[in-house]
Amino acid sequence: SDRLSQEIIHSLDNCKILDPACGSGAFPMGILQKMVHILQKVDPDNEYWQELQLEKAEKATKGVFAIKDKEERERLLIEINEAFDETINNPDYARKLFLIENCIYGVDIQPIAAQISKLRFFISLVVEQKVNKEKDNFGIRPLPNLETKFVTANTLIGIDKPDGELFYTKEVQEKEAELKAIRHKLFGAKTKSTKVKYRKKDEELRNEIADILKKGNLPVESAERLAGWDPYDQNGVSPFFDPEWMFDVKDGFDIVIGNPPYINIYKIEDFMKSKYNSIYKTAYKKYDIYVLFFEQGLNLLKKDALLTLITSNKFFSQPYGFNLRKIFLQKEIVEITNFRINVFEATVDTAISIIKNKVQTNSTFLYSEITTVSDLKRLSESIKISLDSETFKRIPECNFRFSIDEKSKNIINKIEDTSFRINEICYVNYGCRLVSKKGNKKKSDYIFHENFNHQLKPFIEGHDIRKYQITGSRYVDYKPKEHYLALFPELFESQKIVSKDIVGKSEMLQMAYDEKGIYNDHTVVNAVRWCDLKNVTYKNVKKANTTSKINRSKEYSYLSILGFLNSKLTYWYFDKIFNIDLHFYPNTFQNMLIYKKKIPTVFNLLVRMNIQRISVTISSVIDALIFELYFSDHMKERKIDVLQFVEKDIEEVMQGKEFETLNDTQREQAIEELHNRWSDPDCEIVKRMNSFSEKSPEILKPILESSK
């Protein structure tokens, strides 16, 4: 209807949109095209759009500090009508011109980025003008001035303003009205002399406002910074951003869009890092600064307005996203598209997040997960889900859990109810990282030696770790003063579980048992039983090293811990709770689970055999035994339990001998015998394992399928 079309046009005209890290202007240009497309549909002849612009001009000329003389008023109306004149412009020219003036804003910290953004908008207007060879300059008129539409500034730093208001006195409001009128004139100024005149007047007004503010409550430094900002300095960079001062946007934006930079905070200068850390709640550990743009984006929005950012999806899972994940749970999520493939030619996987600046009242939102190229065709087929906030409360640093069905939740609850978390029985931390006065050393700076002497330590890196086994080691000159992280020798010189810190999308967790006390670097995560960390001087460990944890840890052997951590059940839980990510962090390791009741002796024996010689067959039996520990009644009821048959076979093969007392040849013979028995299709154990998915579609099938 006409009324609906008019409402849409009014909404577009009043919509304030900001890209806080606009770069070359791709997102502002994209939203301009979308807005033009809507206007084409609802007002194809530009009738109401023209009427609206003339109406706004009439109102503007009645303002006390607006256009006073009749001649200039008439000039303004002529310019508006010329913009809509289809003998000299395409219809989209007028659409674009007034949308650019009234609706779209961009900020970037790099001057060249703001310049390129302006250029893109200039070109978009040029192509809508009609060429007339009979006129000067082929009839192409001067383009608008965009200096107060795209500015060079640090979006993440604001200005110190008491009560959050800048223009709070009548005198300042009057000056601000003058400044707004001058910038409106400057937007459409055609000649150099006119531009110079208005720019000079702009500077005078900025200084006058600053002087008034100095006499008021505004700190002198803030007033001087406001006055010092020159939007017409092509190479200047403002150390602050204030939408009220720079764009005359007082009440917030309706939409904030963008693709903020993926820069680690450690690449930022120390003084800026300190500022960001003091300002933002999302500044958490070694964060990427795009997390700050989420928080600042919400700060810049009106209530109920929308924030839409394309960013790395790592904040779903990495420790630095912890505080940002908390903010997400407090706000109303509209939609998340999670790309687990590279679709934007970025160096990392990305996500599109749409958040409403509103306290959460509805926990459900639309979610799409793109894991293959063919999934891109189904982008419109988002499912409605809710984040599992209960798990987030229970495990504060867990990843966002997307799309967890009730079946999976029931399995998770069953596992968690009968398990301990690893941090209850182990201290977990990275290995060492070399440092120097110049900063972190690279791996190539390690000094490796072939021969061992009293100064050198046996040493491994993440690539030396495979499932159940450490494949190689070397020696390194270890000097505690040149390292940080896990500096106390007890961490290294104890027996422990070591994990490769890289998981990847096609690999399962890879952990091994270090029986020799090998040193390692930050590509390795270590887990040492609390009872093995004796006489520890490292204060953080000493504080946590309680008697209850020490006593509990004595009940678990490293073989038991290793078997559980390398299992399909643990991998399934890891994927559901923490999502598959490139890194297996200590905080993730700490939250892995181990069964808290008695673990059968044969379980540890099979783990020891896998350390001796990795066997896919034996690994499958270990997985089956873990299933039976957690789902014993379920498996017995369906006649797929295996423990009794495993114990019988091991008794026949070992004949009462202890595996540790056998020589290498005898060990290999025992492993080979069990491998052969459990590879036979007629073996009862094999038959039962092969029917897991069929007879347990609600529990074992989803676990097995996730780890294929």
Side-chain angles (χ1 to χ4, degrees):
S1 68
D2 289 344
R3 183 177 176 184
L4 178 60
S5 295
Q6 289 178 11
E7 287 177 0
I8 292 171
I9 293 166
H10 269 283
S11 296
L12 286 173
D13 190 52
N14 292 320
C15 188
K16 302 294 183 185
I17 301 162
L18 173 72
D19 185 338
C22 65
S24 60
F27 283 73
M29 180 55 63
I31 205 158
L32 173 66
Q33 291 168 347
K34 290 295 183 185
M35 295 173 86
V36 167
H37 178 70
I38 294 169
L39 285 175
Q40 289 169 348
K41 294 294 184 184
V42 299
D43 189 21
D45 298 322
N46 262 351
E47 290 179 8
Y48 193 73
W49 187 240
Q50 182 174 8
E51 182 184 324
L52 182 60
Q53 302 311 318
L54 289 168
E55 183 183 306
K56 284 165 60 182
E58 290 281 359
K59 287 182 181 177
T61 59
K62 294 175 183 176
V64 179
F65 295 99
I67 303 162
K68 296 179 180 178
D69 57 290
K70 183 179 179 182
E71 184 179 324
E72 192 154 353
R73 176 171 174 257
E74 288 176 353
R75 181 194 59 77
L76 176 60
L77 297 177
I78 288 170
E79 285 184 358
I80 292 173
N81 284 318
E82 278 187 356
F84 285 91
D85 187 346
E86 293 189 20
T87 65
I88 56 177
N89 299 312
N90 294 321
D92 282 350
Y93 178 83
R95 294 179 180 119
K96 290 180 179 179
L97 182 67
F98 297 108
L99 287 170
I100 291 169
E101 181 178 7
N102 299 315
C103 303
I104 299 173
Y105 305 87
V107 189
D108 202 279
I109 202 166
Q110 297 183 27
I112 188 64
Q115 295 287 69
I116 294 172
S117 294
K118 293 175 198 173
L119 177 61
R120 292 179 84 150
F121 277 74
F122 288 152
I123 293 171
S124 77
L125 286 169
V126 168
V127 299
E128 302 300 345
Q129 296 190 44
K130 294 180 178 178
V131 174
N132 187 336
K133 295 180 181 179
E134 305 299 321
K135 293 188 176 183
D136 292 341
N137 202 36
F138 294 96
I140 302 299
R141 291 173 314 289
L143 294 163
N145 300 284
L146 301 179
E147 285 85 352
T148 53
K149 301 300 165 190
F150 292 93
V151 302
T152 306
N154 186 342
T155 317
L156 296 175
I157 302 294
I159 201 84
D160 184 12
K161 298 186 300 183
D163 302 322
E165 287 290 333
L166 179 56
F167 303 112
Y168 34 69
T169 68
K170 185 177 180 182
E171 189 178 8
V172 173
Q173 288 174 350
E174 290 173 350
K175 291 292 179 186
E176 184 266 341
E178 280 193 77
L179 185 61
K180 182 178 180 181
I182 288 296
R183 289 182 178 173
H184 177 76
K185 290 180 183 181
L186 188 56
F187 181 81
K190 300 291 189 293
T191 65
K192 184 175 181 180
S193 60
T194 306
K195 292 178 183 179
V196 170
K197 179 180 74 173
Y198 289 144
R199 286 180 181 180
K200 187 175 180 182
K201 184 62 178 174
D202 189 307
E203 184 179 1
E204 289 173 4
L205 286 167
R206 293 199 312 271
N207 286 321
E208 287 174 16
I209 293 170
D211 288 339
I212 297 168
L213 292 172
K214 285 179 189 176
K215 296 171 186 174
N217 295 326
L218 194 72
V220 173
E221 182 186 357
S222 294
E224 289 177 347
R225 291 176 83 184
L226 290 173
W229 175 66
D230 181 2
Y232 312 108
D233 179 359
Q234 302 297 320
N235 299 311
V237 180
S238 170
F240 72 92
F241 171 64
D242 187 89
E244 189 174 1
W245 182 248
M246 295 174 171
F247 296 144
D248 191 38
V249 175
K250 299 181 179 65
D251 302 320
F253 294 90
D254 299 282
I255 297 171
V256 172
I257 57 170
N259 176 215
Y262 312 165
I263 302 173
N264 190 273
I265 189 61
Y266 280 86
K267 294 180 180 177
I268 305 292
E269 298 91 338
D270 286 344
F271 76 96
M272 288 307 303
K273 187 193 315 179
S274 177
K275 273 192 173 184
Y276 294 152
N277 290 345
S278 65
I279 295 170
Y280 290 97
K281 296 175 184 176
T282 47
Y284 185 78
K285 296 185 177 179
K286 301 175 186 177
Y287 59 92
D288 277 10
I289 65 168
Y290 72 79
V291 303
L292 308 184
F293 279 89
F294 272 105
E295 186 175 349
Q296 177 67 327
L298 290 166
N299 293 337
L300 293 169
L301 285 173
K302 295 177 181 176
K303 186 181 177 184
D304 294 339
L306 292 176
L307 172 68
T308 302
L309 296 182
I310 297 178
T311 65
S312 160
N313 63 7
K314 300 308 174 192
F315 76 91
F316 295 157
S317 56
Q318 292 197 8
Y320 72 69
F322 173 47
N323 284 338
L324 179 56
R325 295 196 289 274
K326 287 202 292 190
I327 287 176
F328 263 61
L329 287 171
Q330 293 162 3
K331 296 292 182 180
E332 194 160 292
I333 303 171
V334 177
E335 185 168 0
I336 289 176
T337 304
N338 187 12
F339 296 95
R340 294 175 77 171
I341 59 171
N342 194 325
V343 294
F344 293 111
E345 296 184 2
T347 55
V348 295
D349 290 349
T350 51
I352 302 173
S353 306
I354 305 176
I355 313 296
K356 184 177 282 190
N357 189 26
K358 178 183 179 183
V359 176
Q360 186 195 106
T361 54
N362 179 10
S363 62
T364 63
F365 61 94
L366 293 174
Y367 177 75
S368 298
E369 188 164 291
I370 309 302
T371 56
T372 66
V373 175
S374 60
D375 288 343
L376 291 170
K377 298 175 184 176
R378 301 187 289 103
L379 269 177
S380 60
E381 299 177 15
S382 303
I383 58 171
K384 201 144 195 174
I385 66 165
S386 61
L387 286 172
D388 187 355
S389 56
E390 289 305 312
T391 298
F392 193 80
K393 291 173 186 174
R394 192 166 67 252
I395 314 172
E397 289 196 330
C398 81
N399 297 3
F400 273 158
R401 300 203 321 179
F402 297 116
S403 159
I404 301 292
D405 55 88
E406 287 303 316
K407 189 188 297 183
S408 296
K409 284 181 183 178
N410 291 335
I411 300 172
I412 288 167
N413 291 337
K414 175 69 174 174
I415 296 170
E416 290 181 340
D417 288 345
T418 51
S419 297
F420 278 131
R421 299 203 180 276
I422 292 298
N423 64 357
E424 289 294 304
I425 55 176
C426 291
Y427 171 74
V428 179
N429 206 340
Y430 285 115
C432 61
R433 189 191 296 264
L434 283 172
V435 296
S436 68
K437 292 180 180 177
K438 295 180 181 178
N440 293 347
K441 290 187 178 181
K442 299 176 182 177
K443 279 188 184 181
S444 58
D445 293 322
Y446 281 103
I447 303 172
F448 295 122
H449 300 267
E450 295 300 325
N451 300 313
F452 177 74
N453 63 43
H454 68 281
Q455 294 180 324
L456 305 176
K457 301 294 184 184
F459 187 87
I460 59 170
E461 297 173 282
H463 61 76
D464 297 311
I465 299 171
R466 295 289 180 271
K467 200 171 181 182
Y468 287 105
Q469 297 177 340
I470 296 172
T471 57
S473 64
R474 59 206 65 85
Y475 294 100
V476 64
D477 187 4
Y478 175 79
K479 297 176 182 177
K481 290 184 180 179
E482 295 182 3
H483 299 73
Y484 72 90
L485 289 179
L487 303 185
F488 55 100
E490 293 92 340
L491 176 72
F492 299 120
E493 294 172 1
S494 299
Q495 297 182 35
K496 56 186 172 291
I497 303 296
V498 289
S499 172
K500 187 176 182 178
D501 89 317
I502 300 294
V503 179
K505 295 175 183 174
S506 60
E507 299 176 321
M508 292 181 66
L509 302 175
Q510 297 189 59
M511 305 193 190
Y513 177 24
D514 168 20
E515 301 178 66
K516 300 177 181 178
I518 302 175
Y519 282 60
N520 53 69
D521 73 353
H522 62 285
T523 64
V524 177
V525 185
N526 304 269
V528 182
R529 294 189 310 171
W530 291 108
C531 61
D532 294 330
L533 288 173
K534 299 169 184 174
N535 304 316
V536 172
T537 55
Y538 194 58
K539 62 180 180 180
N540 291 341
V541 181
K542 196 171 184 179
K543 185 177 179 181
N545 201 4
T546 62
T547 302
S548 62
K549 286 185 175 181
I550 292 171
N551 291 338
R552 187 176 295 138
S553 65
K554 290 176 182 177
E555 300 171 11
Y556 293 87
S557 72
Y558 285 113
L559 294 175
S560 296
I561 298 169
L562 180 64
F564 273 86
L565 291 175
N566 274 331
S567 70
K568 288 181 177 178
L569 185 73
T570 295
Y571 180 79
W572 178 86
Y573 180 80
F574 164 65
D575 187 26
K576 290 293 182 184
I577 295 289
F578 293 94
N579 283 339
I580 298 177
D581 193 6
L582 283 177
H583 293 277
F584 185 65
Y585 294 100
N587 71 294
T588 309
F589 199 151
Q590 290 168 6
N591 282 293
M592 292 297 98
L593 303 172
I594 186 169
Y595 190 66
K596 66 183 177 184
K597 298 179 182 177
K598 186 176 179 181
I599 297 170
T601 305
V602 293
F603 181 87
N604 291 346
L605 172 60
L606 295 179
V607 173
R608 172 59 75 185
M609 288 181 171
N610 252 354
I611 293 172
Q612 175 79 17
R613 173 164 70 90
I614 186 73
S615 164
V616 174
T617 301
I618 290 177
S619 295
S620 297
V621 174
I622 291 173
D623 287 327
L625 292 177
I626 291 174
F627 292 153
E628 191 167 338
L629 287 174
Y630 283 108
F631 313 113
S632 177
D633 292 342
H634 170 82
M635 292 176 70
K636 285 178 180 175
E637 177 187 313
R638 302 181 187 211
K639 295 188 165 100
I640 51 175
D641 56 306
V642 298
L643 177 59
Q644 57 179 314
F645 304 102
V646 171
E647 288 179 331
K648 180 174 177 293
D649 283 351
I650 287 176
E651 186 179 340
E652 290 176 2
V653 169
M654 296 303 297
Q655 296 181 355
K657 297 175 184 176
E658 293 291 332
F659 188 77
E660 302 293 344
T661 64
L662 303 179
N663 60 37
D664 285 346
T665 302
Q666 291 170 326
R667 289 182 180 185
E668 287 291 333
Q669 288 172 347
I671 294 170
E672 188 64 24
E673 173 63 23
L674 288 173
H675 174 83
N676 291 335
R677 285 188 182 214
W678 297 339
S679 300
D680 183 353
D682 293 326
C683 171
E684 184 62 26
I685 295 171
V686 176
K687 288 179 181 178
R688 292 188 173 217
M689 291 196 303
N690 287 340
S691 65
F692 279 173
S693 294
E694 179 190 348
K695 294 186 176 180
S696 178
E698 69 275 43
I699 296 180
L700 300 188
K701 183 178 180 179
I703 296 172
L704 292 167
E705 286 182 345
S706 73
S707 57
K708 284 183 179 178

